[in-house]
Amino acid sequence: QVQLVESGGGSVQAGGSLRLRCAASGKTYLRHCMGWFRQAPGKEREGVATIDTGGLSTYIADSVKGRLTVSQDNANNMYLQMNSLKPEDTAMYYCAAYQGSCPFWVVGITAGAFRYWGQGTQVTVSS
């Protein structure tokens, strides 16, 4: 089991940047697929990025490719660097994980595969 805590959200103007952090604790010595999801009011939850803690392979959804990147450090933190932010990026951002490796997400990141979730951090982008 792992526990996840997000931080780094806030309010920025369009074109700005934010860096979200997901701090993981618990059985982090096991291989996990970790991901970032977002959900705007009235919209479905969208997976935007994953990283495999074992192989460090990453996946970025087409909708955010070129603007968002995912990374991790050696202290069990996962990051989501968000550049050139747009008002449509406004959402609650969640960190999630499940034990095992990340697959190649053929049709997009499947939220149902993720067992562990954080509480979320709000990102608001104003025009």
Side-chain angles (χ1 to χ4, degrees):
Q1 185 174 359
V2 294
Q3 295 78 44
L4 305 170
V5 179
E6 304 94 335
S7 61
S11 297
V12 295
Q13 290 190 330
S17 298
L18 281 174
R19 189 191 195 200
L20 306 184
R21 182 175 78 123
C22 172
S25 60
K27 295 183 177 180
T28 56
Y29 53 88
L30 298 174
R31 185 172 185 170
H32 285 83
C33 180
M34 298 187 69
W36 285 101
F37 293 79
R38 65 185 183 183
Q39 189 166 20
K43 294 188 177 181
E44 292 187 357
R45 187 168 295 188
E46 175 189 16
V48 296
T50 63
I51 187 166
D52 188 318
T53 66
L56 297 182
S57 62
T58 62
Y59 174 88
I60 302 293
D62 288 343
S63 61
V64 297
K65 195 168 291 182
R67 299 190 299 116
L68 274 59
T69 58
V70 61
S71 63
Q72 69 172 60
D73 63 17
N74 293 328
N76 301 317
N77 296 304
M78 177 178 64
Y79 299 94
L80 185 69
Q81 179 66 44
M82 304 189 295
N83 299 325
S84 302
L85 283 164
K86 305 175 181 180
E88 50 262 44
D89 293 317
T90 295
M92 185 71 78
Y93 284 72
Y94 298 91
C95 169
Y98 67 84
Q99 184 181 334
S101 60
C102 292
F104 180 77
W105 304 100
V106 177
V107 292
I109 303 169
T110 304
F114 290 79
R115 180 177 181 182
Y116 308 110
W117 292 82
Q119 294 301 305
T121 185
Q122 178 68 37
V123 172
T124 302
V125 184
S126 59
S127 58

